Amino acid sequence: MQNAFLKLSLQFWITVIGIVLVSMLPFLFFNMEGMAMILTLIEAGKIQDGNFIGVSVGIDFYRYFDAIKDVVVSMVHPGDLKYHYFGEVDKPLFPEMFTRYSYSLKVLMGSFVISVLSACLITFFLILLPKALKKTLRFGVFMLESIPDVFLVIFFQITVVWLYKKTGILFYEIVSIDKPIYFIPIICMSIVPTMYLIKVLIQLFDEELDKHYVELAKAKGLQWPFIVLVHMFRNVLISLHNHSKTIFVLMLSNLLMIEWVLNIKGIGYFLLRYGPVNPELITYGLILIFVPFFLLFALLGAISRKNKRSVYE
Amino acid sequence: MIRLIRHPLFIIGFLIIAGLLIGSVVYSIYFKPDHFEPMKIMYDEHKTPIAAAPFKPSEMPPFGSDRFGHSMFIKVLDGAKYTLGIAFSVAFLRLLLSFLIGVIISLSGKFVNNFLKQLIEAFNYTPMTIIVYLIVAPVLVVYGWNFTKTEQMLYPFIVLVLVAVPSASILISDEIKEMMKQEFIVNSKVLGGRKLHILRKHVMPFLSPRLLIIFTQQVIGTLLIMAHLGVLKVFVGGRDIITLNAFEGTTMPVAMLNEWSGMIGGSFHELMMAKWIILAPIYGFVISILALNFMIEGMKSTILNYKVSSAKRKKWKRKKTPIVTAEKNFEFVKNEVNKNVSSL
């Protein structure tokens, strides 16, 4: 137990270090501080543009490690953090970031739960269907899964606008100003993970079909839906844990795109808009999003490992 | 290889991709886009104007036209060679680099291996798009004035290549390590085969079809990142700034080439006005990603079948060989036995 905990915390810290290293990469290539100074000069109206100041791309490890040191030190006093952008003076980061973060986290968690539940439900019915129908439906899932997430969002928005023009019913506010919207982003975000999960679940079920206990249960004369629901589902859910990382990345990149396209002011929009000028924001944002999901997956992993042990003992 | 060519899904995917590429190249060689004067107003046969650019898909089939009257279908076809060309060459370079690094990792010790793997885990928790955007945006968007056009075209290309190398090399080294556990490789080690010899003679024949799958997956990954970058208004194929109104000083960034992601990014504001301008490059992306997925599906099923068939062939050979040599040996032994008996 203690050993597993030690291993998990080691994994956690190494991943956090990795996130810091990755998100600080712009400092390796550019003189970000010098560029920020030029930007503030332009904002103040002292110069028109930076054409006469040559800033080039070059690899500088000292700058990189200095920036990393600064970020790590700055995390000690989160209240003092600030960010800036074209024409906007330095703003304090934390109360604002936190409201955006909590909103996005709600959307992420909501769509995670919805996509897992709906994928389980759909797969359950898919398994029970006759073989020919199953094959065509699987092909449909495969087709839907290979449509990129951004385009699903764009199609979604176009359809909503088209429906509004035809019927006069507005399904959601296209531009959200201050009232947070939950229903549409959650629905929109759960499409891609659901399709991925269905694909994985069906694969796992196919592997499970050859195992002896299924044959035994069939031979005993148990009903097929009962076998699927009670006996096979547990084992499949345990192996589903291996795919959690992929689902997380899928959902995160989906979140970024949805917030950007639908103009929702969550953390994804925030990172994309202010990130290029303030790479520190990306570090904080990614770590903030990473922590709860890491805990969730660790919990799920612990549960599944415990179940697995009880199965074999 | 022949099995792969016979697989229907693979054929469909391959034909679509090849058709797009060949059509695009043929178009740009024989029908230069400059030869067509864009049509801003459409007339019927009595020379009365019936429509103005941008034309709807019903007025100018199949995809409509942009604000300047260029047919979107032709623009998408012209852009196919840039977008697919960038995606394929990025994927090829990624595979080359990550294969070399993957081999080195797989030959190195356990400690380096585990530590690197954990560190690269961070890439699995970070969407590729945001890493690329973070590194590319200063050059292309925020501090765009600072860099020349060649820099602006080369830089995102290099970043797109490098960003996937860590995770892909871990993937390849994992494949190699999995292969190393096979029985015939352990045999070869016992017989004194060196690491490089084993890699070349025993691992590569099994690895190379898998590398083909990884390559196609990398192409899809690159296309996805490019689509995301297009929505984020980063122009992978370089950008121009055109002046809309010289007196008011309104300018607008436009993609230099008819590259699909640039086409999306350059006219993203059209989403609510003339949505077919955005939809045309999106169709391009969706069709090519679907085709590549078809190819992957075909490759996966043929490679899995290949193992079974080679095992079958071995069984068949083993059955045949002993029958030929049996008779002679039998006679020889018989004589020997007779001599022995007589001497006794």
Side-chain angles (χ1 to χ4, degrees):
Chain A
M1 186 61 210
Q2 206 164 23
N3 202 7
F5 181 74
L6 209 72
K7 209 175 164 187
L8 262 182
S9 59
L10 189 71
Q11 196 186 345
F12 176 80
W13 284 112
I14 291 179
T15 314
V16 167
I17 291 170
I19 289 177
V20 172
L21 288 181
V22 167
S23 56
M24 283 287 114
L25 274 179
F27 283 99
L28 183 60
F29 298 114
F30 312 109
N31 183 4
M32 296 296 286
E33 280 166 27
M35 286 172 153
M37 270 185 212
I38 299 173
L39 270 191
T40 45
L41 277 180
I42 294 175
E43 281 162 20
K46 287 182 181 152
I47 50 174
Q48 280 287 317
D49 52 34
N51 276 335
F52 57 92
I53 308 167
V55 181
S56 60
V57 185
I59 292 174
D60 187 345
F61 281 99
Y62 285 112
R63 199 169 55 206
Y64 182 51
F65 289 117
D66 266 356
I68 290 171
K69 201 182 75 192
D70 285 350
V71 161
V72 174
V73 169
S74 75
M75 273 185 218
V76 182
H77 303 289
D80 302 343
L81 296 170
K82 281 180 175 145
Y83 68 94
H84 59 88
Y85 196 68
F86 276 117
E88 291 166 29
V89 280
D90 288 12
K91 284 184 196 166
L93 179 64
F94 252 93
E96 191 187 356
M97 179 110 159
F98 204 72
T99 50
R100 288 164 185 263
Y101 167 67
S102 61
Y103 166 76
S104 292
L105 201 64
K106 276 176 209 160
V107 172
L108 266 174
M109 285 292 178
S111 74
F112 179 71
V113 171
I114 283 182
S115 53
V116 169
L117 286 181
S118 57
C120 287
L121 211 68
I122 293 171
T123 325
F124 176 61
F125 286 114
L126 264 179
I127 296 284
L128 296 182
L129 284 175
K131 223 170 190 179
L133 200 62
K134 202 159 87 181
K135 215 173 175 184
T136 41
L137 280 178
R138 266 177 89 164
F139 194 69
V141 169
F142 167 70
M143 295 272 275
L144 258 181
E145 205 234 329
S146 39
I147 295 176
D149 47 0
V150 213
F151 303 150
L152 278 179
V153 182
I154 291 175
F155 286 136
F156 199 84
Q157 197 173 16
I158 287 174
T159 329
V160 167
V161 171
W162 181 78
L163 278 176
Y164 176 60
K165 275 182 187 165
K166 288 279 168 197
T167 61
I169 307 163
L170 190 60
F171 286 86
Y172 72 103
E173 309 256 339
I174 304 284
V175 180
S176 70
I177 299 159
D178 41 26
K179 200 175 64 184
I181 49 172
Y182 287 103
F183 180 65
I184 290 298
I186 286 179
I187 293 297
C188 210
M189 254 186 71
S190 24
I191 297 172
V192 177
T194 307
M195 291 301 148
Y196 178 79
L197 275 171
I198 290 173
K199 199 186 79 176
V200 170
L201 276 175
I202 286 180
Q203 259 173 20
L204 291 174
F205 262 109
D206 281 352
E207 281 166 22
E208 208 76 3
L209 274 180
D210 300 334
K211 289 189 179 163
H212 291 303
Y213 74 92
V214 179
E215 270 174 36
L216 177 70
K218 266 187 198 169
K220 271 175 85 177
L222 296 180
Q223 296 265 308
W224 181 232
F226 179 77
I227 301 172
V228 171
L229 198 62
V230 176
H231 293 290
M232 287 164 77
F233 231 93
R234 281 190 225 166
N235 295 341
V236 165
L237 281 185
I238 288 170
S239 8
L240 194 64
H241 170 250
N242 298 335
H243 295 266
S244 50
K245 234 175 289 163
T246 324
I247 295 164
F248 173 69
V249 172
L250 257 182
M251 285 176 51
L252 196 54
S253 73
N254 218 337
L255 178 85
L256 293 177
M257 284 300 124
I258 284 171
E259 289 189 352
W260 185 260
V261 173
L262 297 185
N263 226 353
I264 298 166
K265 305 278 186 286
I267 198 163
Y269 183 88
F270 192 65
L271 294 187
L272 287 175
R273 184 164 160 75
Y274 300 103
V277 189
N278 318 281
E280 312 90 65
L281 283 188
I282 310 257
T283 319
Y284 308 137
L286 285 179
I287 290 174
L288 276 178
I289 299 172
F290 162 71
V291 170
F293 272 88
F294 182 82
L295 292 178
L296 181 71
F297 292 147
L299 192 71
L300 289 180
I303 291 170
S304 75
R305 227 171 291 132
K306 206 178 169 191
N307 275 343
K308 221 173 203 172
R309 213 175 289 146
S310 68
V311 166
Y312 287 113
E313 273 168 10
Chain B
M1 220 43 206
I2 294 164
R3 275 162 190 283
L4 193 62
I5 293 166
R6 255 191 251 148
H7 199 277
L9 273 179
F10 182 82
I11 298 172
I12 296 171
F14 185 77
L15 282 183
I16 292 173
I17 294 290
L20 270 174
L21 276 176
I22 292 170
S24 172
V25 171
V26 166
Y27 169 77
S28 61
I29 291 173
Y30 290 105
F31 314 97
K32 276 273 167 61
D34 319 332
H35 289 190
F36 294 104
E37 187 61 29
M39 175 171 56
K40 285 219 163 181
I41 296 169
M42 196 182 269
Y43 300 96
D44 63 357
E45 54 265 34
H46 306 297
K47 293 230 165 180
T48 45
I50 49 169
F55 305 117
K56 285 175 191 155
S58 56
E59 289 159 356
M60 191 187 255
F63 290 160
S65 83
D66 66 357
R67 291 251 159 221
F68 306 102
H70 294 286
S71 164
M72 286 313 291
F73 175 72
I74 285 178
K75 275 179 88 171
V76 168
L77 191 66
D78 184 44
K81 61 175 175 290
Y82 304 120
T83 306
L84 291 179
I86 290 173
F88 274 96
S89 40
V90 163
F92 179 74
L93 286 177
R94 276 179 183 182
L95 197 68
L96 202 73
L97 281 177
S98 48
F99 176 70
L100 290 177
I101 296 172
V103 167
I104 292 168
I105 291 174
S106 72
L107 296 180
S108 64
K110 205 174 177 185
F111 176 74
V112 176
N113 234 315
N114 284 344
F115 184 73
L116 261 183
K117 223 171 159 183
Q118 289 291 339
L119 204 60
I120 286 169
E121 196 86 322
F123 274 89
N124 292 342
Y125 282 105
T126 320
M128 280 298 183
T129 315
I130 204 164
I131 306 173
V132 176
Y133 181 66
L134 197 64
I135 304 174
V136 164
V139 172
L140 293 188
V141 184
V142 187
Y143 307 101
W145 68 75
N146 242 319
F147 301 96
T148 59
K149 268 180 189 157
T150 38
E151 270 180 327
Q152 287 193 351
M153 280 173 83
L154 263 179
Y155 185 70
F157 186 81
I158 295 167
V159 172
L160 275 177
V161 170
L162 290 184
V163 78
V165 167
S167 45
S169 44
I170 287 288
L171 188 73
I172 290 175
S173 82
D174 277 355
E175 290 270 354
I176 294 175
K177 259 183 269 162
E178 198 59 33
M179 223 51 93
M180 288 291 194
K181 284 177 195 160
Q182 300 263 344
E183 223 168 284
F184 60 90
I185 286 178
V186 177
N187 284 347
S188 176
K189 258 186 207 164
V190 170
L191 289 173
R194 283 188 191 166
K195 274 182 174 174
L196 275 178
H197 169 83
I198 291 173
L199 202 72
R200 213 178 54 219
K201 289 282 175 188
H202 300 298
V203 175
M204 270 320 281
F206 278 86
L207 197 64
S208 48
R210 269 151 224 269
L211 285 183
L212 201 64
I213 291 182
I214 294 175
F215 171 73
T216 322
Q217 279 167 344
Q218 293 296 333
V219 175
I220 292 178
T222 316
L223 280 177
L224 282 178
I225 293 180
M226 280 168 75
H228 284 180
L229 288 181
V231 173
L232 294 172
K233 297 183 184 173
V234 174
F235 299 88
V236 181
R239 71 168 180 178
D240 274 333
I241 296 203
I242 57 166
T243 310
L244 291 178
N245 189 333
F247 300 109
E248 292 171 14
T250 46
T251 56
M252 156 179 160
V254 171
M256 222 149 64
L257 307 166
N258 281 332
E259 195 267 324
W260 293 344
S261 68
M263 276 161 78
I264 294 175
S267 49
F268 200 72
H269 53 276
E270 302 278 10
L271 185 59
M272 288 300 141
M273 292 175 280
K275 53 179 180 290
W276 55 89
I277 299 180
I278 305 260
L279 283 180
I282 286 178
Y283 293 144
F285 270 117
V286 170
I287 287 170
S288 38
I289 286 173
L290 254 182
L292 288 165
N293 264 329
F294 279 169
M295 280 166 78
I296 286 182
E297 205 65 11
M299 281 187 237
K300 270 185 184 165
S301 59
T302 41
I303 284 165
L304 288 180
N305 284 340
Y306 180 71
K307 266 188 181 170
V308 175
S309 72
S310 65
K312 265 183 195 166
R313 211 179 298 145
K314 267 178 201 162
K315 250 186 201 170
W316 178 70
K317 270 184 186 169
R318 227 179 279 147
K319 267 181 195 167
K320 234 183 175 179
T321 36
I323 301 169
V324 185
T325 47
E327 269 177 40
K328 277 184 185 173
N329 282 350
F330 183 63
E331 262 179 86
F332 183 64
V333 171
K334 209 164 130 192
N335 286 344
E336 198 90 327
V337 170
N338 278 351
K339 270 180 198 169
N340 285 348
V341 170
S342 63
S343 69
L344 275 171

